[in-house]
């Protein structure tokens, strides 16, 4: 009986584009999708770099699920709402209430809905402090001549630049008209036309239903360089050639992923090169991943980031976590798929090293996390969903899928995962739904391999299961053996065959330098390493990061000049936050950190400023 009601309900809601089939209400949105949901958004916005505002309107096609519903509720943050109109027989003004803002959720906007309303149009303006927007001055870009604007909507910042039902339980298509200063070019997570006339007036259509956190916009002195197949690069001119060379394997990655997990559903896969202040590595905005320039290393050593954002085209963008409690369904599955892509394109040894590096990193990180935050499913009600972004959803999630792969074998697990993506394409997913699907389509077909208790332990228990996979690499074992022999004085550095070491080997070597060695001895060791390998001067941002961090931990002062250049030049939090944090552990270090930070601060993203202000007590 119940089962039937759910089935009918699910069919109903899916047919109108809101796939929250019988899910609990998202604790991070005021929207009441059960009553009224939006199925298409049209944006008409003017980008004003002087005022640092977007202004215009957002228009929704709405669907009623409750005939008695008399209001349409959307999420906002720091928006000025000028007026709201509804379309019934014709357009007419309607009343609305903007509630007092709540710290995490922002301000609930309740719009009165006449019985015959089909569309709602909200005229509004963003605040210069909008959390989801970064406004860069020309000085903060590489070209120095034009400003740059980009959005970051995940997890709940889209409401700071669009009044919207901001929950991933909703899916909608969108279109947009974006007006910019005449000499700038706009791109979105939608169909982009690289040949559009550069007249400051741009149109976009996203024909596929996406969750609101995937609406994205970039504006700047952007140009385009095509790569193979359906791939290409947008960015400031200075980086196009280098990025196209670095990411030349992108189309190969698309083909490999298609072979494993079914057709790429989004048309083109382009990359937008972000300014250096971009706070993240990448963001999987559909059709157009946003990517940090810090991975353009010259040797393709950091392109797992591209594999990751591309993988989201299946895990995350096609099958989407229903709310942020289930982030692991996006990020864990993506980390797993990412590594499978890397294995196909760059070989098993590299894939193994990348798995070993990240799982080692997770084990280190677990020691620093509160126990409650170490389960895959987390209850984030009352908390900022940003808090869910630790290594747990990523790497514990990846290890869970790896565990299943090892138990069932790729012959069974690969088709299962492919079918999972196909069966739930353009829908949202929860942990409970995932487990039900897993049981019916993998576990029950191969009884006795993995118990339901085990699955529940992985998803709902804290810490790591005892029998979790422990990725290793023979190449890494060699690196550590050499390191130990050198530290023990059995061999000298010139006995270690580092000439052909990859970035991964260097990272493994550096991050595993002993912590408990007396400081003076460690400083001597670091001096020797620097003399032999010039690590302080490394141009690889990951190697430099790992080395600078060790330098700070062991008070190896020769790194300081490099640190003072490194920190202000990079906005990617993963690379700079640990360094600021380490500096802040001593009074002298904290003073130095503040001295570096103050002039650098305006160049960082608002979200990065927030994090760093806190670390440095600013
Ligand atoms: N979806 C995330 C980006 C993100 C992170 C959005 C935190 C909102 C808050 C993206 O796919 C991602 O995971 N990026 C990683 C790279 C990855 C290789 C681990 C990043 O930015 O470092
Ligand atoms: Zn991701």
């Amino acid at each position: 009986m119940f089962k039937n009601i759910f089935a009918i309900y699910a069919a109903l809601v899916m047919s109108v584009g809101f796939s929250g089939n019988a899910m609990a209400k998202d604790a991070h949105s005021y929207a009441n999708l059960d009553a009224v949901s939006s199925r298409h958004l049209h944006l008409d916005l003017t980008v004003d770099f002087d005022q640092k505002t977007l202004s215009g309107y957002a228009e929704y096609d709405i669907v009623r699920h409750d005939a008695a519903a008399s209001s349409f509720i959307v999420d906002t943050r720091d928006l000025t709402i000028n007026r709201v109109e509804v379309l019934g027989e014709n357009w007419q003004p309607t009343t609305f209430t903007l509630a007092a803002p709540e710290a995490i959720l922002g301000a609930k906007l309740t719009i009165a809905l006449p019985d015959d309303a089909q569309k709602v149009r909200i005229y509004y303006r963003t605040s210069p402090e909008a959390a989801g927007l970064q406004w860069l001055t020309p000085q903060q870009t590489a070209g120095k001549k034009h400003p740059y604007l980009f959005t970051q909507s995940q997890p709940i910042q889209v409401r700071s630049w669009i009044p919207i039902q901001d929950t991933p339980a909703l899916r909608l298509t969108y279109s947009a008209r974006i007006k910019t200063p005449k000499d700038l070019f706009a791109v979105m997570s939608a169909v982009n036309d690289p040949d559009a006339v550069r007249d400051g007036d741009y149109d976009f259509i996203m024909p596929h239903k996406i969750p609101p956190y995937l609406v994205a916009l970039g504006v700047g002195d952007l140009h385009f360089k095509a790569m193979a197949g359906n791939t290409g690069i947008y960015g400031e001119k200075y980086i196009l050639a280098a990025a196209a060379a670095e990411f030349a394997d992108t189309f190969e990655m698309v083909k490999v992923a298609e072979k494993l997990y079914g057709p790429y559903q989004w048309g083109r896969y382009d990359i937008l090169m972000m300014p250096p202040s971009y706070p993240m590595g990448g963001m999987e905005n559909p059709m157009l991943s946003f990517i940090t320039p810090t991975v353009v290393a010259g040797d393709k050593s950091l392109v797992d980031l591209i594999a990751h954002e591309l993988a989201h085209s299946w895990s995350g963008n096609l099958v989407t976590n229903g709310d942020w409690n289930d982030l692991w369904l996006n990020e864990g599955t993506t980390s797993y798929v990412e590594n499978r892509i890397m294995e196909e394109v760059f070989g098993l040894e590299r894939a193994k090293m990348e798995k070993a590096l990240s799982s080692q990193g997770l084990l280190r990180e677990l020691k620093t996390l509160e126990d409650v935050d170490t389960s895959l499913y987390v209850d984030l009600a009352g908390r900022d969903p940003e808090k869910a972004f630790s290594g747990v959803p990523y790497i514990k999630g990846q290890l869970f899928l790896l565990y299943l792969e090892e138990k069932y074998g790729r012959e069974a697990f690969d088709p299962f995962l492919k079918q999972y993506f196909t069966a739930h394409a353009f829908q949202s997913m929860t942990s409970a739904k995932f487990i039900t699907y897993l049981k019916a389509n993998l576990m029950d077909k191969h009884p006795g391999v993995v118990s339901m208790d085990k699955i529940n332990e992985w998803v709902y228990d804290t810490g790591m299961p005892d029998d979790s996979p422990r990725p290793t690499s023979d190449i890494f074992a060699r690196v550590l053996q050499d390191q130990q022999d050198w530290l023990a004085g059995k061999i000298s550095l010139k006995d270690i065959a580092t000439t052909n070491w990859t970035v991964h080997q260097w990272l493994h070597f550096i991050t595993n330098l002993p912590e408990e060695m007396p400081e003076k001895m460690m400083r001597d060791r670091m001096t020797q390493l620097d003399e032999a390998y010039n690590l302080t001067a490394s141009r690889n941002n990951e190697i430099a990061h790992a080395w600078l961090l060790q330098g700070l931990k062991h008070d190896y002062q020769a790194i300081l000049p490099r640190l003072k250049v490194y920190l202000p030049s990079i906005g990617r939090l993963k690379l700079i936050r640990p360094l600021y944090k380490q500096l802040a552990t001593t009074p002298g270090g904290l003073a130095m950190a503040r001295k570096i930070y103050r002039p650098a601060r305006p160049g960082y993203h608002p979200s990065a400023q927030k994090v760093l202000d806190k670390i440095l007590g600013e």
Side-chain angles (χ1 to χ4, degrees):
M1 168 68 178
F2 271 112
K3 212 174 137 213
N4 273 338
I5 288 176
F6 276 141
I8 292 165
Y9 177 69
L12 258 173
V13 293
M14 275 158 55
S15 69
V16 296
F18 127 59
S19 55
N21 359 359
M23 286 187 336
K25 193 184 167 319
D26 183 345
H28 294 107
S29 170
Y30 287 114
N32 192 352
L33 303 185
D34 294 340
V36 184
S37 66
S38 41
R39 67 172 168 212
H40 180 81
L41 159 68
H42 178 74
L43 277 176
D44 189 313
L45 293 174
T46 300
V47 182
D48 185 335
F49 280 95
D50 295 328
Q51 303 292 320
K52 295 192 179 165
T53 59
L54 303 178
S55 59
Y57 65 83
E59 179 181 306
Y60 291 102
D61 294 3
I62 56 167
V63 182
R64 276 168 197 273
H65 310 285
D66 173 358
S70 58
S71 55
F72 175 55
I73 301 172
V74 299
D75 297 290
T76 76
R77 173 186 289 282
D78 298 328
L79 296 183
T80 305
I81 308 298
N82 298 320
R83 64 180 200 277
V84 183
E85 294 176 357
V86 285
L87 179 68
E89 212 137 279
N90 39 47
W91 284 104
Q92 60 186 74
T94 187
T95 55
F96 62 90
T97 326
L98 187 61
E102 199 272 341
I104 295 168
L105 299 184
K108 172 181 178 179
L109 175 62
T110 308
I111 296 166
L113 213 56
D115 286 345
D116 62 348
Q118 313 280 311
K119 292 183 192 242
V120 178
R121 192 185 274 187
I122 308 165
Y123 289 84
Y124 70 102
R125 173 163 47 81
T126 63
S127 147
E129 276 78 47
L133 301 177
Q134 186 175 10
W135 301 90
L136 295 179
T137 62
Q139 204 49 40
Q140 293 167 327
T141 66
K144 311 275 180 215
K145 285 207 184 74
H146 301 280
Y148 199 124
L149 163 71
F150 66 86
T151 63
Q152 169 54 37
S153 299
Q154 193 189 15
I156 55 168
Q157 285 95 258
V158 67
R159 64 188 69 176
S160 76
W161 68 281
I162 307 173
I164 195 166
Q165 297 185 306
D166 189 6
T167 167
L170 174 79
R171 300 189 82 95
L172 73 182
T173 52
Y174 80 85
S175 50
R177 176 177 186 187
I178 305 290
K179 279 167 250 155
T180 72
K182 281 219 172 344
D183 42 1
L184 298 185
F185 197 75
V187 290
M188 291 192 85
S189 54
V191 175
N192 287 288
D193 175 8
D195 301 320
V197 182
R198 307 173 76 89
D199 60 356
D201 193 348
Y202 304 98
D203 290 309
F204 303 93
I205 290 175
M206 170 36 105
H208 307 289
K209 291 187 291 178
I210 59 166
Y213 75 87
L214 292 177
V215 184
L217 169 69
V219 178
D221 184 19
L222 302 175
H223 298 267
F224 178 74
K225 189 168 170 60
M227 299 195 296
N230 62 336
T231 68
I233 311 261
Y234 289 90
E236 288 186 80
K237 266 191 181 146
Y238 85 100
I239 202 165
L240 289 181
E246 196 79 22
F247 306 143
D249 300 303
T250 306
F251 183 48
E252 189 57 31
M253 290 182 176
V254 173
K255 286 191 285 189
V256 157
E258 287 192 307
K259 193 184 76 190
L260 284 167
Y261 302 116
Y264 179 76
Q265 304 256 21
W266 305 89
R268 289 198 57 85
Y269 180 74
D270 291 317
I271 287 169
L272 174 63
M273 294 311 296
M274 305 306 285
S277 66
Y278 189 55
M280 302 181 322
M283 177 65 211
E284 66 271 28
N285 296 317
M287 309 188 70
L288 184 70
S289 288
F290 286 17
I291 296 293
T292 171
T294 62
V295 293
V296 180
D299 59 2
K300 301 184 178 179
S301 57
L302 307 177
V303 299
D304 49 317
L305 178 71
I306 304 296
H308 180 95
E309 304 312 339
L310 171 66
H312 273 303
S313 306
W314 287 262
S315 43
N317 298 2
L318 210 51
V319 185
T320 307
N321 52 212
D323 62 30
W324 302 111
N325 297 340
D326 277 320
L327 177 67
W328 78 272
L329 287 169
N330 276 18
E331 297 299 347
T333 313
T334 293
S335 299
Y336 173 83
V337 170
E338 162 204 327
N339 196 259
R340 294 297 304 274
I341 296 173
M342 291 304 290
E343 179 182 325
E344 292 295 319
V345 179
F346 292 95
L348 185 58
E349 287 310 322
R350 175 166 177 177
K352 278 181 158 180
M353 287 193 279
E354 290 183 354
K355 273 192 292 242
L357 278 175
S358 46
S359 63
Q360 261 205 11
L362 174 67
L363 296 183
R364 269 193 298 270
E365 189 184 355
L366 280 176
K367 294 184 199 137
T368 71
L369 295 175
E370 302 272 347
D371 191 54
V372 290
D373 289 331
T374 64
S375 54
L376 287 179
Y377 173 88
V378 272
D379 183 0
L380 292 167
R383 295 174 65 193
D384 187 337
E386 297 254 347
K387 300 283 182 304
F389 285 85
S390 75
V392 171
Y394 287 81
I395 309 304
K396 185 178 175 182
Q398 176 184 7
L399 291 171
F400 175 34
L401 296 205
L402 199 57
Y403 174 84
L404 294 172
E405 177 204 292
E406 286 175 2
K407 289 290 174 190
Y408 291 97
R410 286 185 175 179
E411 328 71 78
F413 189 65
D414 286 357
F416 162 77
L417 198 53
K418 179 178 185 175
Q419 184 53 34
Y420 164 77
F421 292 134
T422 313
H424 304 99
F426 301 106
Q427 295 175 37
S428 52
M429 181 55 56
T430 64
S431 285
K433 225 168 117 181
F434 174 84
I435 292 174
T436 305
Y437 189 81
L438 178 70
K439 180 171 185 309
N441 295 281
L442 192 63
M443 297 167 71
D444 287 354
K445 288 187 180 157
H446 307 272
V449 180
V450 177
S451 71
M452 199 35 106
D453 283 352
K454 197 71 204 175
I455 300 297
N456 284 321
E457 180 190 353
W458 267 105
V459 176
Y460 297 110
D461 284 5
T462 57
M464 294 303 289
D466 290 338
D467 56 350
S468 160
R470 305 230 185 275
T472 55
S473 141
D474 293 342
I475 298 178
F476 276 0
R478 181 76 249 157
V479 168
L480 280 196
Q481 190 58 53
D482 284 345
Q483 184 182 80
Q484 276 162 21
D485 290 348
W486 167 65
L487 289 168
K490 291 188 202 158
I491 59 171
S492 77
L493 285 180
K494 64 177 178 339
D495 299 321
I496 306 180
T498 57
T499 327
N500 294 320
W501 270 16
T502 64
V503 170
H504 305 82
Q505 283 163 289
W506 283 112
L507 289 174
H508 194 61
F509 185 92
I510 295 167
T511 49
N512 282 293
L513 284 169
E515 268 167 31
E516 62 290 348
M517 208 177 222
E519 279 207 349
K520 166 82 178 63
M521 213 147 123
M522 196 58 215
R523 282 200 292 275
D524 290 347
R525 291 301 191 179
M526 291 192 75
T527 309
Q528 285 176 32
L529 287 171
D530 234 354
E531 276 166 11
Y533 310 122
N534 217 350
L535 292 169
T536 296
S538 173
R539 289 285 119 206
N540 185 288
N541 287 310
E542 292 279 354
I543 292 181
H545 164 82
W547 179 250
L548 293 173
L549 191 59
Q550 289 291 11
L552 289 177
K553 284 186 178 159
H554 299 291
D555 196 24
Y556 171 59
Q557 306 221 350
I559 56 147
L560 295 179
R562 174 83 169 99
L563 184 74
K564 287 174 189 164
V565 178
Y566 185 87
L567 286 175
S569 68
I570 290 177
R572 187 177 177 190
L573 274 172
K574 178 192 152 198
L575 297 176
I576 58 174
R577 176 176 29 200
L579 296 170
Y580 277 116
K581 244 189 170 159
Q582 185 61 36
L583 277 169
T585 56
T586 67
L590 181 60
M592 185 192 302
R594 287 178 175 159
K595 217 172 133 196
I596 299 172
Y597 181 58
R598 278 177 197 148
R601 187 177 184 276
Y604 292 130
H605 188 276
S607 68
Q609 291 177 358
K610 207 163 83 182
V611 171
L612 298 173
D613 284 353
K614 201 164 157 206
I615 291 172
L616 302 177
E618 291 286 84

